[in-house]
Amino acid sequence: MLTLSRWKVAAVILSVIFGIVFSLPNVLPQKTLDALPGWVPHQKLNLGLDLQGGSYLLYEVDTDALRAERLTNMVEDVRSTLRNDQIEFSELGEAGGVVRVRITDPAKVDQAVSLLRRSIGGQLQGTVTGRDTTVTNRGGGQLELAFVPEAAKADAAKAVTQSIETIRRRIDALGTKEPTITRQGSNRIVIQAAGESDPARLQAVVGQTAKLTFQMVDETVSQEDMVAGRIPPGVIVIPGTQPGEPPIPVAKRALVTGEDLVNANQEFDQNGAPAVGFRFGGAGARKFGDATTRNVGKRFAIVLDGKYISAPRINQPLPGGSGIITGNFTPESAAELALLLRSGALPAKLNLEEQRTVGAELGADAVKAGAISLAIGAAAMFVFIILAYGLFGVFAALALVVNVLLIIGIMSMTQATLTFPGIAGLILTLAVAVDANVLIYERMRDEAAAGRSPMSAADTGFRRAMVSIMDANITSLISAAIMFGFGSGPIKGFAWTLSIGVFTSVFTAIIITQVLIGWWFKTAKPKKLPIA
């Protein structure tokens, strides 16, 4: 086992070169690094929020508002479905999470039930009917529609997942490097943006729902009707985005939504004022073209998060699926709105629960403290292993140095985020690596005390210690996997560093130490082990 096979020597040389090359950018000045050729690795360790400073935001997805919106849409779906089939009804409304409607013609009750069961709601696996909505006949023409319990859970889970994806696209567009966006519990989202010192800027982009809809203006409703509250069914009154703008009545059901947008950019209108250009793709372009063709001469409102930006008149059909949104924009607000529209709307409102800002100075102090703690821990281990095992301790110390280089090199290459708990994982990794060497060397002592020759004692020590070393490291790897799978933020950082360290520790403690000891046996030809 102590033979200096070529593959072991090559593995040691390549690991040392890899560790040095990929760790070096972390100690070079930026100017020097920029001057190096392009083929030289330039990636540095990606420091986490606690080491670099930045912003921490905790949001809660408003699943209650999402459910209320779905119930409102269900009311409008019931209204349009029954009207299209000329089934007369009354008392349509929602209360207590249930939509109720009365069919006035008893002869058409069964037809209405069958029609609504086919038309309302969507498919949902795991339910008895396979649909997410139930339609119940309560007698006397009274029908009740409600979501099955599984639908609410599925909607909430989907909303959180979609919100995370949308938030990531928005933050990436800001240029913030390596944001950490994770789910916390069932309906909370944690955002850690290292290096982003302005949480207000982050909130403005992350927290806005950015739900864009195009809704027809109901010009039969006058200002007097709105003031008196005489609003017909299927119509809502929405305010403008600017103070002092009069509210307007619009159809509840949107003609087209921003979900079909494929692009949005900051542009300028014919008067040179900032505006937002948009373009639909595929089905969205067809819907937008059909809607503008059917409603030439009428006004439609461009609505963002429940407030209208503008309400222009449709002078001609727009079959191309593109247009421009004008309003009281500045170049900055137009660019921000375009970014939000490109990233997609959030499926539900986000409520800010917690906000923290970590200053760059505090992050620098954490880096300094982490470096000092790592240096002290490493020095203590070096002193211990050298005092305990002499020359073999020096070999173990050299293997530890390579171990650190490999961990830093791998994390730099993969752009994994190093957090303060990650530094703790790095120190723990060194301790585990020392432990492997202690097991090997103590086993060598036992074999030498039993009368084996130095070469035989060393070879047997490596072979028989392997079982204990593998057991210990596999256990650590399982623990790290559990922490990585169920933890979040700093816990994941600790688990990731520990996982990398498990593999590098086994390699350096066994292969590198083995090659160094084998080389020593070949050159010194000892008659006694230095640790016996």
Side-chain angles (χ1 to χ4, degrees):
M1 193 170 185
L2 283 177
T3 55
L4 290 175
S5 56
R6 290 181 180 178
W7 76 265
K8 289 181 182 178
V9 175
V12 170
I13 294 173
L14 290 175
S15 65
V16 172
I17 294 173
F18 172 89
I20 293 173
V21 169
F22 281 90
S23 299
L24 195 58
N26 294 284
V27 297
L28 291 177
Q30 189 61 45
K31 287 185 178 180
T32 305
L33 195 58
D34 293 338
L36 293 176
W39 55 268
V40 176
H42 285 64
Q43 300 99 322
K44 290 187 176 184
L45 274 173
N46 186 33
L47 301 181
L49 179 68
D50 50 357
L51 298 180
Q52 187 181 165
S55 298
Y56 172 99
L57 300 174
L58 173 63
Y59 281 101
E60 184 176 70
V61 181
D62 194 342
T63 53
D64 291 336
L66 179 65
R67 181 174 175 81
E69 181 183 357
R70 285 207 64 187
L71 287 168
T72 300
N73 290 338
M74 185 188 290
V75 171
E76 296 309 308
D77 288 341
V78 171
R79 189 191 313 278
S80 60
T81 301
L82 295 177
R83 280 181 176 174
N84 290 340
D85 275 61
Q86 298 181 343
I87 299 176
E88 295 183 359
F89 62 92
S90 62
E91 303 175 19
L92 174 61
E94 180 269 325
V98 177
V99 174
R100 295 180 177 86
V101 62
R102 184 176 299 279
I103 307 301
T104 54
D105 186 354
K108 291 191 174 183
V109 172
D110 291 340
Q111 178 188 347
V113 171
S114 177
L115 176 64
L116 293 176
R117 283 177 177 169
R118 289 196 314 270
S119 306
I120 304 299
Q123 296 294 325
L124 182 67
Q125 294 182 351
T127 61
V128 176
T129 62
R131 299 187 67 82
D132 62 359
T133 308
T134 59
V135 181
T136 307
N137 186 356
R138 295 299 183 187
Q142 182 77 40
L143 305 183
E144 289 186 355
L145 295 88
F147 293 113
V148 298
E150 293 88 347
K153 294 179 181 178
D155 278 348
K158 184 179 179 182
V160 174
T161 301
Q162 288 180 342
S163 296
I164 291 174
E165 293 173 355
T166 301
I167 289 169
R168 188 177 302 281
R169 287 196 297 269
R170 291 181 180 182
I171 295 180
D172 286 346
L174 285 177
T176 300
K177 186 179 179 182
E178 294 293 331
T180 302
I181 306 168
T182 55
R183 182 196 299 257
Q184 186 180 89
S186 60
N187 64 339
R188 290 189 170 192
I189 299 172
V190 174
I191 304 168
Q192 298 182 68
E196 179 57 65
S197 59
D198 187 2
R201 175 171 176 256
L202 205 58
Q203 283 182 51
V205 173
V206 170
Q208 188 171 347
T209 307
K211 188 169 185 179
L212 183 72
T213 57
F214 297 82
Q215 295 167 250
M216 292 305 302
V217 177
D218 192 325
E219 304 200 58
T220 64
V221 180
S222 65
Q223 289 291 330
E224 291 76 14
D225 291 333
M226 288 189 286
V227 172
R230 295 190 295 269
I231 309 300
V235 175
I236 57 173
V237 176
I238 60 172
T241 55
Q242 300 299 319
E245 282 185 320
I248 59 173
V250 299
K252 280 186 180 179
R253 204 61 165 161
L255 287 173
V256 190
T257 68
E259 294 177 1
D260 299 309
L261 284 175
V262 295
N263 196 19
N265 292 291
Q266 189 261 319
E267 296 180 2
F268 294 92
D269 63 15
Q270 64 271 22
N271 299 318
V276 178
F278 63 88
R279 181 168 60 85
F280 290 103
R286 287 193 297 273
K287 285 191 289 185
F288 188 71
D290 291 344
T292 54
T293 301
R294 291 195 311 269
N295 294 285
V296 171
K298 298 179 182 178
R299 293 169 66 207
F300 74 110
I302 302 172
V303 182
L304 180 69
D305 292 342
K307 296 181 179 181
Y308 73 91
I309 300 174
S310 60
R313 195 170 299 279
I314 303 172
N315 296 320
Q316 60 184 11
L318 300 171
S322 61
I324 189 169
I325 302 172
T326 59
N328 294 315
F329 292 119
T330 63
E332 293 76 17
S333 63
E336 184 176 293
L337 176 57
L339 184 154
L340 294 174
L341 296 180
R342 284 196 305 272
S343 303
L346 292 169
K349 182 182 176 183
L350 297 181
N351 297 320
L352 182 63
E353 299 292 317
E354 185 181 349
Q355 171 189 320
R356 293 203 307 266
T357 302
V358 179
E361 296 82 3
L362 184 59
D365 290 342
V367 172
K368 184 178 179 181
I372 292 173
S373 61
L374 179 60
I376 293 174
M381 282 182 276
F382 289 164
V383 170
F384 163 76
I385 200 77
I386 292 172
L387 289 178
Y389 299 106
L391 179 62
F392 280 16
V394 174
F395 293 158
L398 291 174
L400 284 178
V401 172
V402 178
N403 192 8
V404 173
L405 290 175
L406 286 175
I407 295 174
I408 295 175
I410 292 172
M411 294 191 70
S412 298
M413 181 184 68
T414 60
Q415 286 292 277
T417 300
L418 179 66
T419 61
F420 201 72
I423 294 176
L426 186 57
I427 297 172
L428 179 60
T429 295
L430 297 181
V432 172
V434 168
D435 181 61
N437 287 121
V438 169
L439 287 173
I440 294 169
Y441 293 164
E442 289 300 321
R443 190 70 195 188
M444 287 182 185
R445 278 178 172 170
D446 292 341
E447 297 300 328
R452 289 183 180 271
S453 65
M455 176 65 81
S456 177
D459 187 70
T460 306
F462 271 105
R463 282 192 293 104
R464 295 192 175 179
M466 277 295 295
V467 175
S468 299
I469 292 172
M470 296 306 296
D471 283 347
N473 282 282
I474 289 172
T475 304
S476 297
L477 200 58
I478 292 172
S479 301
I482 293 172
M483 286 188 287
F484 192 85
F486 294 97
S488 62
I491 303 299
K492 281 194 172 183
F494 175 84
W496 178 242
T497 309
L498 182 61
S499 300
I500 295 174
V502 166
F503 291 103
T504 58
S505 295
V506 171
F507 174 79
T508 55
I510 295 175
I511 303 298
I512 293 183
T513 308
Q514 196 180 116
V515 168
L516 290 173
I517 292 176
W519 167 80
W520 177 74
F521 267 102
K522 185 177 180 180
T523 56
K525 297 181 175 55
K527 296 182 179 179
K528 182 181 179 182
L529 283 177
I531 59 173

